[in-house]
Every structure is written in structure tokens, then in C-alpha cells.
Amino acid sequence: MLYIGCHLASSKGYTAMGKQAVEIGANTFAFFTRNPRGGSAKALDLDDVAKFLDISRDNNFGKLVAHAPYTMNACASDENIRRFAREAMADDISRLEATPGNYYNFHPGSHVKQGVEMGTQLIVEQLNTVLTQSQTTTVLLETMAGKGSEMGREFEELREIINRTNLSEKLGVCLDTCHIWDAGYDIVNNLDGVLEQFDTIIGLDRLKAIHLNDSLNPLGAHKDRHAKIGEGHIGADSLIRVINHPKLKELPFILETPNDIDGYAREIAFLKENYND
């Protein structure tokens, strides 16, 4: 089964997101756990959550892929920024236990001239502080395009974070097709080779979700500019190969293309038409 969805606005609650997902043909979705530019999170309505769980069961939803705010930078040089990252992540994971067994995706952060080693150390310190043995939520490190001082531009950087995290069994990876293309991984001409490289360095058992995006940039541009499916340098045919790859096709696919809700509905329908059960 193809588990496909997009980012939905969380401001109206879980039930509204679940209903909207069904309306556009989705059976999973992503949402920001709080304002994507930071700030406090809306209080949970447990009745709303219960209604959503019914919708999820009735419509055979796949794993949800919650997204941390963009302002979360676990390896910032500013301690106040790192404090926000720790507190927000801990709060988000706690809240996500209301919908157990799903995913929490975050950008590893930018080391801002501190260097990759210091960036790695600070990210690991946050994870070792926040992760708990009892949580059912899997925290996903996102592959990044490598603009500026972004961490996670190479598979090896993510592997090092995983290696040094105490509760590494609580960690997985979300692979963003635009990001890895922009980082220099050629998923157009060598998808099998890229996946073999991922498996060798990180392990495909760690790959839990895909952000499915085309890219406005050529291979290795390190710029991170998403495009609609078929309107970028990756192309529709290559992204169709991604959703049908035997090592990927059971994962949740989340669209982050520059679309309105009707555009997402069209892309979801297109991908479903080109998915091989």
C-alpha cells in the first residue's frame, strides 16, 4: 500500500487534519508540532485526539510524521537557542505520546562556524538529555541539503550522531529527496547505489520516512529549493521510481512541494496512479 500525504495545518487539531487527509486522498500526513517559526504549542484536546484515532483506524492510516519547528537548532552557539531546542523537543515528544508509535522529524541544525565535531557533540547532548526509554515516538534525523553550516549533509554525519546517542534505538532517519539530491546524491541515475550507500553507512532499517520533493536545483547545488513533482531537476519519473522501489515502497511519503491543498490532492492522485501494488 502507498502511504502518501502532505503537511497539514495543525491549528484546528488532529480531527480536522485527519478529515482533510481523507478528503485529499491521503492516508498519512505531516504537521508542525508548534508554529514552524517557534513559540509555544497549542494545548492538547484529548477528545479531539480520540476522534482522530478513530479516523486513523477506519482509514488505515500509516505512521504520522510530526515536524519540529524550523527554529529548533540543537547545535547553535547560543545557549538560549539550544535551551529552546531541548525544551521544545522534550515537550513535543511528551505530547506525541497521545498518538503513540508515530514519528518526530527534526533538522539536525547548523553548527554556525563551530565545526562538524562540535555540532555533533551538541546534537548528541540534546538527544541524550531528551530521549527516554519509555517513549513510543521514534525521533527522525532529516537528511539535509548542506547549505551553509547545516549538519546532516552526508550520511556519515547522521551515522555519527546515531553512534553517540545513548538511546539510539529511539532514532531513525527521514530521507528528503530534494535535500539529498542537492547534497550530491544522484537518485536520478543511481538510486540503487545511493540506497546501498545509505545501507552501508546508516542501515536501511533506520530509514523510516521519505519527504518526497522535486528540486529546483541541479545535483549538488547545496541550496534546498523544493519544486512540485515533475517540475524540477529530479523529475516525475525518478520520483515514481522512488515510491516503487522495493526497499522504500512501504514507507510513509510526505509531500513538501510548494502547493496549496488542491495541488497536493493532484500530486497524491498522480502518485497513486503510478504506484505498483
Side-chain angles (χ1 to χ4, degrees):
M1 175 179 290
L2 177 63
Y3 293 105
I4 183 74
C6 62
H7 267 271
L8 297 176
S10 61
S11 58
K12 294 183 179 179
Y14 277 96
T15 301
M17 288 191 289
K19 289 179 178 179
Q20 187 170 46
V22 173
E23 288 171 1
I24 63 173
N27 55 6
T28 182
F29 58 87
F31 63 97
F32 284 103
T33 53
R34 58 192 66 221
N35 187 305
R37 299 301 171 188
S40 60
K42 183 180 178 181
L44 273 180
D45 179 340
L46 295 181
D47 288 338
D48 173 61
V49 172
K51 291 175 183 175
F52 163 73
L53 291 174
D54 288 339
I55 294 171
S56 177
R57 283 189 294 268
D58 291 346
N59 292 278
N60 195 26
F61 275 22
K63 300 280 191 181
L64 305 185
V65 188
H67 202 303
Y70 291 135
T71 49
M72 179 184 288
N73 186 359
C75 58
S77 57
D78 186 322
E79 166 59 23
N80 289 326
I81 296 175
R82 296 202 305 275
R83 182 183 302 111
F84 167 77
R86 288 193 303 273
E87 293 174 353
M89 180 178 280
D91 183 46
D92 286 347
I93 293 173
S94 175
R95 291 157 50 85
L96 286 169
E97 291 304 300
T99 53
N102 288 303
Y103 298 143
Y104 178 67
N105 178 75
F106 81 108
H107 295 180
S110 296
H111 62 72
V112 196
K113 299 182 180 180
Q114 297 177 96
V116 171
E117 169 55 32
M118 178 57 72
T120 302
Q121 178 180 323
L122 292 171
I123 294 165
V124 170
E125 285 177 1
Q126 171 165 315
L127 292 170
N128 284 340
T129 299
V130 168
L131 299 182
T132 66
Q133 192 67 58
S134 61
Q135 73 185 67
T136 66
T137 300
T138 301
V139 174
L140 306 185
L141 299 156
E142 184 171 339
T143 59
M144 302 306 295
K147 65 181 187 294
S149 59
E150 277 183 341
M151 298 290 295
R153 71 183 67 196
E154 297 176 354
F155 296 157
E156 288 85 355
E157 292 181 8
L158 299 181
R159 177 75 258 182
E160 186 64 19
I161 293 168
I162 293 167
N163 284 348
R164 290 161 62 174
T165 299
N166 294 335
L167 294 176
S168 62
E169 68 272 19
K170 304 296 184 181
L171 294 179
V173 173
C174 176
L175 186 152
D176 186 301
T177 55
C178 170
H179 292 177
I180 64 169
W181 170 260
D182 277 31
Y185 294 96
D186 190 354
I187 59 172
V188 172
N189 300 299
N190 192 24
L191 176 60
D192 283 335
V194 171
L195 293 178
E196 287 173 11
Q197 191 174 359
F198 185 99
D199 194 27
T200 299
I201 296 167
I202 297 177
L204 280 169
D205 59 318
R206 295 275 184 184
L207 183 54
K208 304 297 184 182
I210 305 280
H211 283 168
L212 195 72
N213 304 300
D214 214 323
S215 174
L216 291 175
N217 305 304
L219 178 67
H222 301 295
K223 289 184 179 179
D224 184 11
R225 295 173 64 208
H226 296 195
K228 296 177 183 178
I229 303 299
E231 296 187 11
H233 285 266
I234 299 174
D237 289 345
S238 296
L239 294 170
I240 288 168
R241 286 196 292 272
V242 169
I243 65 171
N244 284 300
H245 196 284
K247 294 180 179 178
L248 305 176
K249 63 184 302 181
E250 298 301 323
L251 298 176
F253 294 92
I254 302 296
L255 294 161
E256 294 182 318
T257 50
N259 265 311
D260 58 17
I261 200 68
D262 291 335
Y264 283 129
R266 288 191 294 271
E267 286 189 337
I268 289 168
F270 170 77
L271 292 165
K272 282 182 171 182
E273 289 169 4
N274 288 277
Y275 180 74
N276 301 322
D277 285 316

